[in-house]
Amino acid sequence: MNKVMTRSQLRPGTRPPGRRDSRRPGGTPPRTPAGGTPRATSASTAASVTAAPSRPPRPAAQLHPTDHIAELLVLVLSGQRPVHSMLRHAVGRAYDELADLAERGPLRARGTRPTVRDIGYYAPRPGAFEAFARIGAGDQLRAMAFRVEQGRDRRWRCTAVELGGSRDRRANDD
């Protein structure tokens, strides 16, 4: 079985593992005060600042296609982004389903922003993932299922999306 859980529950207020604080780059020299004379620093502090080893920058970690699409879907379904922002990320019927869902605003919550709490996926074939996401907003928990396929241009696009409960009744009447 190819089912994989990709995200674990993070405690609120914690940073993801391996993230560096961009406001504190390593090895920066001490600032010069407004008077123009540098502050007196101890020899050990100056040595630690100048002796910082230079390492090559790490490449940015690539998100799994299901993680990226799930985040975009939540932003659209919660009203934080317009539906047309998904034009290059959803194709055909999936875009129509997303537009219908977004019109009803199913993830709009007062006071809290919905977040993706957990994602899992199954790979039925190479180049396709069927995924689910648990979406939390305050004390509410919703489920979303979607399918992601890789096109000939090697880009990942959402090809189906459903949110909680049963499918729309109009689709069954056809």
Side-chain angles (χ1 to χ4, degrees):
M1 178 177 259
N2 298 336
K3 186 174 180 181
V4 178
M5 299 296 292
T6 60
R7 187 179 291 188
S8 62
Q9 181 77 22
L10 291 176
R11 291 184 309 259
T14 61
R15 294 188 335 202
R19 182 174 169 191
R20 294 188 57 183
D21 192 352
S22 61
R23 294 170 292 177
R24 298 175 186 247
T28 57
R31 292 185 178 181
T32 306
T37 59
R39 286 184 271 172
T41 58
S42 66
S44 63
T45 306
S48 66
V49 170
T50 57
S54 63
R55 26 183 179 160
R58 279 190 201 163
Q62 290 287 338
L63 282 178
H64 194 271
T66 58
D67 292 348
H68 181 64
I69 296 292
E71 294 288 344
L72 293 174
L73 289 171
V74 167
L75 290 174
V76 169
L77 293 173
S78 64
Q80 297 175 47
R81 290 183 73 174
V83 178
H84 69 267
S85 67
M86 287 294 291
L87 275 171
R88 46 183 249 165
H89 301 287
V91 293
R93 187 167 180 163
Y95 183 80
D96 297 336
E97 291 170 357
L98 183 61
D100 289 341
L101 283 171
E103 191 174 294
R104 289 182 253 144
L107 295 180
R108 289 193 177 131
R110 295 179 188 257
T112 58
R113 283 189 166 179
T115 59
V116 178
R117 292 201 181 160
D118 191 25
I119 296 177
Y121 64 87
Y122 170 74
R125 63 175 174 80
F129 295 108
E130 292 179 354
F132 71 88
R134 291 184 189 107
I135 302 161
D139 59 348
Q140 291 182 334
L141 190 64
R142 301 287 303 263
M144 178 174 63
F146 57 99
R147 182 176 175 94
V148 180
E149 293 183 13
Q150 191 174 31
R152 290 183 181 166
D153 60 355
R154 313 280 296 159
R155 296 177 84 178
W156 292 94
R157 292 183 177 87
C158 179
T159 58
V161 62
E162 290 183 22
L163 186 66
S166 61
R167 294 186 75 151
D168 189 11
R169 300 287 180 224
R170 290 180 291 158
N172 295 334
D173 294 339
D174 291 337

